[in-house]
Amino acid sequence: MSELAIDGGTPVRTGPPLPSAMSRAGRTIGAAEEEAVLRVLRSGMLSGVWGDEGPALAREFAELVGARYAVPCSSGTAAVHLAVAAVDPDPGDEIIVPPLSDMGTVAPVLAQNAVPVFADVDGVTGSLDPARVAELIGPRTRAIIVVHLFGKTAEISRLREMADAAGVMLIEDCAQAYLAEVPGTADDADHRNVVGTIGHVGCFSLQQHKHITTGDGGLVVTDDPDLASRMKRFADKGWPREDGERAYLNYALNYRMTELVSAVAREQLRKLPTVVSRRRAHADALTRLVSGLCQLTPPPDMGDHVYWYYPLVVEGLDEHGLSRYAAALTAEGVPAVSGYLARPLYAEPVLREQRTYGGSGFPIRGAAQYPDGLCPVAESLIHRRLVVLPCNENFTADDLDDIGSAVRKVHEALVGRSTG
Ligand SMILES: *Cc1c(COP(=O)(O)O)cnc(C)c1O
């Protein structure tokens, strides 16, 4: 067996770095986006309130995902904030969230003075486990926020049934899951159900690392005209501009998207179906390359995964072993992250030390709420089982071979040889 690069051996990959979201080679920004920016600059109208690009983006995105309405906004976090504000919780009401996500999923709950209640996740996908959610729905629950982690659809139909039975809103955080198709609905070409349209509101991000990007930006979709206009108003200081009147109907902020961002987003949107299908093909190749390794579970895929990243679940390692596994892959030339997060969201200082509103601790009722062990499955993924590999639409066949070879080399050295 050849020596690991982390121990001084020759790395699997000696060529240029893999294309990534941090480099031009791993993005789809080109002449169309340049032209879009110039088109807006030359028009003299840079604001989404009066320009044409924002409304066009809203129409095109709604059509692409099959929703009635879309509202552009300034980030994925803003998108979740629009959704949570539309729930209109009373202070102290509860919103159920997953512990394995970006803080953008949870910060808007605090902003609306609601309490984030963390439900544990599925042991392979890392997305909300409906059985754990069921245990937490109570008289103060107002909404559930589900994240389709890494681009794999969560158990969204089941969660929608539960939300309807409880009379609470279901918010889908689709920042990592553009165009992921909910299983069992793909055959009917006219009614492809993609994530964001099963819950009451779907939220998307255009941040640098997502499938498509404008640097920052966000979108929400819904079929409900009342939710749509309330979210639009929350992004615009509560101002109901469609009524032609200057009024501020409720507490709200300015989360508007500019015309420059909208114009770039429209061009990125045209590329999204290709980005998704190429990532799916690449992930399929990776799954074939790593199959047969013992104690390793590749991402399960029923046609419902769009591979924001390529997550592997590895058994048999301790915390140190998992870090070393990821570091060894990185040394072979395949940047890998152990656990995705350093700790579950509830263990972050903002929640654990209640760094929210002055010294009040509001809206979190006591630090005891977020102890270690709160979500043991999420903790096992973060500390002992999850390794996140890159996936990119611009990978070549050689790139995929390198990733497959690096995983086999590291896995056989640190976990064990293949079965069979
Ligand atoms: C990126 C991300 C967000 C936040 O989006 P921003 O545009 O960075 O504010 C929220 N939720 C998830 C799941 C994300 O991946």
Side-chain angles (χ1 to χ4, degrees):
M1 191 191 306
S2 58
E3 196 179 4
L4 291 176
I6 198 173
D7 295 329
T10 308
V12 166
R13 189 177 174 86
T14 47
L18 289 167
S20 84
M22 298 306 283
S23 67
R24 184 178 174 92
R27 300 280 62 188
T28 54
I29 308 289
E33 286 76 8
E34 286 176 28
E35 188 44 50
V37 168
L38 290 175
R39 176 172 83 222
V40 171
L41 288 175
R42 286 174 184 145
S43 78
M45 173 49 71
L46 274 60
S47 166
V49 176
W50 302 280
D52 301 330
E53 303 285 347
L57 171 65
R59 272 196 312 277
E60 290 161 6
F61 190 67
E63 189 182 349
L64 183 67
V65 303
R68 283 178 71 191
Y69 306 96
V71 179
C73 58
S74 56
S75 70
T77 306
V80 176
H81 199 177
L82 300 192
V84 172
V87 173
D88 201 18
D90 280 332
D93 279 349
E94 297 174 352
I95 296 187
I96 296 174
V97 294
L100 212 48
S101 185
D102 183 85
M103 192 54 88
T105 306
V106 171
V109 175
L110 298 172
Q112 291 310 107
N113 288 313
V115 179
V117 173
F118 289 89
D120 210 350
V121 297
D122 177 87
V124 174
T125 67
S127 287
L128 277 182
D129 180 343
R132 301 286 83 79
V133 173
E135 293 164 2
L136 294 171
I137 293 177
R140 294 217 72 173
T141 307
R142 296 294 307 280
I144 301 163
I145 306 180
V146 57
V147 174
H148 304 284
L149 196 68
F150 304 128
K152 162 83 179 173
T153 57
E155 287 203 51
I156 190 66
S157 306
R158 176 106 183 272
L159 288 168
R160 175 68 202 238
E161 285 166 21
M162 289 166 51
D164 286 345
V168 306
M169 245 171 80
L170 180 61
I171 297 167
E172 291 180 72
D173 181 342
C174 310
Q176 306 179 359
Y178 280 103
L179 301 186
E181 285 184 24
V182 180
T185 59
D187 307 335
D188 181 352
D190 291 335
H191 294 97
R192 292 183 329 149
N193 279 324
V194 300
V195 298
T197 63
I198 314 299
H200 298 85
V201 178
C203 307
F204 297 82
S205 165
L206 291 159
Q207 185 256 13
Q208 182 70 37
H209 286 90
K210 312 304 184 187
H211 286 74
I212 54 171
T213 188
T214 58
D216 268 314
L219 286 150
V220 290
V221 298
T222 184
D223 285 336
D224 181 324
D226 179 51
L227 285 176
S229 63
R230 279 158 55 199
M231 291 193 288
K232 192 160 186 226
R233 279 208 308 272
F234 193 79
D236 197 13
K237 298 174 277 185
W239 191 337
R241 292 184 198 261
E242 61 280 8
D243 301 345
E245 166 196 16
R246 183 158 194 163
Y248 301 102
L249 298 184
N250 45 269
Y251 148 74
L253 302 167
N254 177 352
Y255 279 142
R256 299 185 309 235
M257 182 183 279
T258 73
E259 287 288 271
L260 288 164
V261 174
S262 292
V264 174
R266 290 178 69 197
E267 298 306 333
Q268 286 279 284
L269 214 55
R270 286 185 230 289
K271 298 172 180 173
L272 183 56
T274 307
V275 167
V276 166
S277 64
R278 292 180 70 173
R279 284 182 182 228
R280 283 188 44 75
H282 294 165
D284 197 45
L286 282 178
T287 295
R288 270 182 275 115
L289 288 167
V290 304
S291 71
L293 290 170
C294 65
Q295 320 232 63
L296 180 144
T297 310
D301 186 345
M302 289 144 62
D304 62 337
H305 205 315
V306 294
Y307 298 97
W308 182 53
Y309 278 87
Y310 185 85
L312 291 175
V313 173
V314 180
E315 309 295 343
L317 296 173
D318 61 11
E319 194 155 352
H320 173 74
L322 188 75
S323 309
R324 182 166 156 79
Y325 191 107
L329 279 170
T330 304
E332 299 296 339
V334 177
V337 176
S338 65
Y340 173 46
L341 305 176
R343 57 194 72 83
L345 292 179
Y346 54 76
E348 290 294 338
V350 51
L351 289 166
R352 205 144 283 155
E353 295 164 30
Q354 303 166 53
R355 298 191 192 168
T356 49
Y357 298 94
S360 70
F362 202 78
I364 303 160
R365 288 163 297 182
Q369 198 163 193
Y370 301 124
D372 282 336
L374 182 63
C375 297
V377 178
E379 291 181 12
S380 80
L381 284 167
I382 292 169
H383 298 306
R384 295 188 301 281
R385 298 173 55 237
L386 176 63
V387 179
V388 184
L389 303 187
C391 190
N392 191 276
E393 53 277 18
N394 295 339
F395 282 166
T396 63
D398 284 347
D399 293 338
L400 294 166
D401 281 343
D402 284 348
I403 298 171
S405 303
V407 172
R408 298 197 83 87
K409 182 180 174 187
V410 168
H411 194 87
E412 289 178 1
L414 300 184
V415 178
R417 289 214 156 259
S418 323
T419 49

